[in-house]
Amino acid sequence: MLKHAFTWTFALLFVVGLAGQSAAAISADEAARLGKDLTPLGAERAGNADGSIPAWDGGITKVPSGYKKGMHHPDPFSGDKVKLTITADNMAQYTDKLTAGQQAMLKAYPDYKLNIYPTQRSASAPQRIYDDTRAAATKAELAAGGYGVLGVSSGIPFPVPKSGIEVIWNHMLRWRGPGVDRSFGLAPMTRGGDYTMVEFNEKALFLYNQEGMTEAELDNVTALFRQEIFAPARLAGRILLVHETLDQNKENRRAWLYNPGQRRVRRAPNVAFDNPKEGGDGLTTSDTVDMYNGSPERYDWKLVGKKEMYVPYNSYQLHSDQLKYKDILTPLHLNPEHLRYELHRVWVVEANLKEGSRHVYKRRTFYIDEDTWSILAMDQYDNRDQLWRVSESHCINYYEVPTFWSTVEVHYDLQSGRYIAVNLNNEHSMYDFDTKIDRQLFTPAALRRGGKR
């Protein structure tokens, strides 16, 4: 067996330049570690030296007693107690485990805090995804420039990553179920705590990771999204359709927008990069949906290393339908009483804007969960190189699937004192991962037929 290749502390990794060439898949010997000293998705199976991070034992493999599909998910860790509370007063003791964004939030808002709970490595996925990851590991290659992935149609493509761009593609292609029909709210908060909730319904088919999918059948499309706004009245009836692509050298994402005022469907090439998110009141960008999405072409991606950090995790309390939005959405930040943080190992990736490229964020730092490849936190810097926005993805294991995915994403604007909370579902019906969605729904013609005034 190969000598252990990961580090548990910040370690600089030298990355081979990828411009104009593809990166080779890993060796059979490296792939053989999956399911042994590495988990089936590539994380370190073992715990850390002092036991504060336990070994991964499969995560949640069965639903809790009393759970039925359609329910908001009961907390399997409801008996856990807070181990530590980090505030501005004691944060100096823990800065090595805090993101720059967390430190800035603690300094900016005296009532902000991080409640740290015992670490529960709850992440799990179907056996098929583990098998597909093992198969993908020796086949997956980066397309020219790192702008796509070749040779695979399911599974984590780079479970033993060698570069920052590989980690980002793992995030974008991670398992989120075969598809979903979900309704949720988006709250763009004023500094004083006021907001007008934007109501969405989103239907998605994740073609990449579908059972039996082939690269030819994908036809370069990884996912289909259809998102309709129902409120407020000034935005109601707008429908966004997106086809996400796999090799973006061939074609960037395709997007269309139905405008009820014009009753027309138009191509929407601006649904990308730093253009404002639909309904987001200018508080976040298109490429921060799901923490990061779309073409990686505007940044140089550096794999900094792996580090133990306090990150949002197992956010079942925040997910609960016993909470109302007024309990969660407080001025300046989410109510910290309902937030759960745990110590986990994360991959740290730094994105620096390429010479000659344009984006409102000059630099971004991503913190990616080793167990799931989900981006859990992100720091975003403006063109003066000042920390501007701080983002967190509060996730749970949707154990009926199973898949580990966000229940709330939040983006804080440190300069304005405003923030936006996305995917709020406490007062909405729970996501339907069993939905049977006709692929024909995701066509411009269907968008035109479904549009209404």
Side-chain angles (χ1 to χ4, degrees):
M1 183 177 294
L2 292 178
K3 188 176 179 181
H4 205 289
F6 290 93
T7 59
W8 288 7
T9 57
F10 246 146
L12 186 63
L13 299 178
F14 296 96
V15 180
V16 176
L18 296 170
Q21 61 183 0
S22 62
I26 65 172
S27 69
D29 285 344
E30 287 178 297
R33 298 175 59 201
L34 298 172
K36 295 180 181 177
D37 66 306
L38 301 182
T39 72
L41 298 186
E44 295 177 58
R45 183 184 287 273
N48 64 356
D50 66 8
S52 54
I53 297 175
W56 183 81
D57 62 1
I60 300 176
T61 56
K62 59 182 181 180
V63 302
S65 177
Y67 169 77
K68 294 182 180 179
K69 287 187 179 182
M71 294 173 60
H72 278 67
H73 299 71
D75 185 355
F77 310 116
S78 58
D80 289 354
K81 305 298 183 186
V82 175
K83 293 175 57 178
L84 165 71
T85 297
I86 301 175
T87 66
D89 293 334
N90 67 356
M91 63 178 283
Q93 303 173 51
Y94 308 104
T95 52
D96 63 321
K97 292 181 171 63
L98 297 173
T99 70
Q102 289 169 337
Q103 295 177 52
M105 291 285 292
L106 289 165
K107 290 176 183 176
Y109 306 125
D111 61 337
Y112 191 69
K113 62 183 180 181
L114 277 68
N115 285 328
I116 311 301
Y117 287 80
T119 298
Q120 303 286 356
R121 294 182 72 178
S122 58
S124 59
Q127 183 62 44
R128 177 178 64 82
I129 299 302
Y130 298 154
D131 295 342
D132 289 352
T133 295
R134 177 69 177 271
T138 55
K139 298 176 183 175
E141 295 185 351
L142 288 172
Y147 299 160
V149 178
L150 307 175
V152 291
S153 56
S154 182
I156 297 298
F158 307 110
V160 186
K162 310 296 185 185
S163 64
I165 191 63
E166 290 182 350
V167 174
I168 293 300
W169 275 113
N170 286 349
H171 165 78
M172 292 195 287
L173 296 176
R174 74 198 189 283
W175 167 249
R176 286 170 285 176
V180 67
D181 187 341
R182 61 177 184 164
S183 296
F184 58 87
L186 177 153
M189 305 294 294
T190 68
R191 188 178 179 91
D194 296 324
Y195 63 93
T196 298
M197 188 72 77
V198 184
E199 304 276 354
F200 288 85
N201 174 262
E202 180 181 81
K203 293 177 174 62
L205 278 178
F206 301 111
L207 302 180
Y208 187 95
N209 286 319
Q210 291 278 341
E211 187 168 6
M213 181 60 67
T214 66
E215 197 174 3
E217 288 176 295
L218 278 179
D219 194 24
N220 203 39
V221 177
T222 64
L224 305 170
F225 298 92
R226 178 178 168 135
Q227 193 176 82
E228 181 171 358
I229 298 178
F230 289 95
R234 62 184 172 81
L235 297 175
R238 291 174 70 87
I239 309 175
L240 175 64
L241 175 66
V242 172
H243 294 183
E244 200 67 80
T245 51
L246 183 58
D247 182 355
Q248 303 197 14
N249 292 298
K250 294 180 179 178
E251 184 180 15
N252 286 116
R253 71 155 54 108
R254 312 166 200 154
W256 298 262
L257 186 65
Y258 174 78
N259 187 315
Q262 300 172 343
R263 304 189 74 179
R264 296 183 65 181
V265 174
R266 294 181 177 273
R267 288 297 294 260
N270 289 335
V271 179
F273 301 113
D274 58 354
N275 288 289
K277 173 180 167 49
E278 185 80 1
D281 204 23
L283 288 169
T284 189
T285 59
S286 290
D287 64 5
T288 53
V289 173
D290 196 39
M291 298 297 278
Y292 188 81
N293 69 86
S295 172
E297 67 191 63
R298 296 192 180 181
Y299 288 94
D300 290 317
W301 301 87
K302 176 184 176 182
L303 184 56
V304 179
K306 191 184 281 190
K307 193 179 182 186
E308 296 180 7
M309 303 196 75
Y310 294 123
V311 287
Y313 221 95
N314 291 313
S315 302
Y316 289 96
Q317 183 178 352
L318 182 62
H319 173 80
S320 172
D321 60 356
Q322 300 303 302
L323 292 179
K324 301 298 184 184
Y325 295 139
K326 64 181 177 63
D327 301 321
I328 298 169
L329 300 170
T330 54
L332 304 176
H333 51 73
L334 296 181
N335 185 343
E337 296 295 342
H338 303 306
L339 308 183
R340 175 177 176 134
Y341 295 83
E342 299 178 6
L343 185 67
H344 284 262
R345 288 183 293 242
V346 296
W347 288 103
V348 182
V349 173
E350 190 171 284
N352 290 282
L353 193 61
K354 287 182 177 178
E355 186 78 27
S357 292
R358 181 191 61 80
H359 201 288
V360 295
Y361 302 135
K362 177 182 178 183
R363 177 163 61 93
R364 306 161 96 158
T365 305
F366 298 87
Y367 306 89
I368 301 99
D369 177 32
E370 70 164 344
D371 285 335
T372 65
W373 301 102
S374 299
I375 296 172
L376 299 178
M378 175 171 55
D379 299 329
Q380 296 149 111
Y381 295 79
D382 64 18
N383 283 296
R384 301 170 298 165
D385 216 24
Q386 300 295 309
L387 183 60
W388 178 11
R389 289 174 175 162
V390 175
S391 301
E392 292 184 333
S393 180
H394 295 265
C395 296
I396 66 169
N397 186 327
Y398 294 85
Y399 32 68
E400 77 277 24
V401 182
T403 183
F404 187 88
W405 202 15
S406 67
T407 182
V408 175
E409 291 176 17
V410 61
H411 308 277
Y412 298 108
D413 188 320
L414 292 169
Q415 296 175 13
S416 69
R418 300 184 64 193
Y419 70 95
I420 184 168
V422 186
N423 301 341
L424 292 157
N425 54 58
N426 310 73
E427 297 180 39
H428 288 77
S429 58
M430 191 27 53
Y431 303 167
D432 182 1
F433 289 96
D434 286 335
T435 184
K436 305 299 182 186
I437 308 174
D438 189 338
R439 187 166 177 172
Q440 292 304 308
L441 184 68
F442 300 94
T443 64
L447 191 64
R448 198 171 292 113
R449 289 193 300 270
K452 52 188 178 293
R453 237 184 168 115

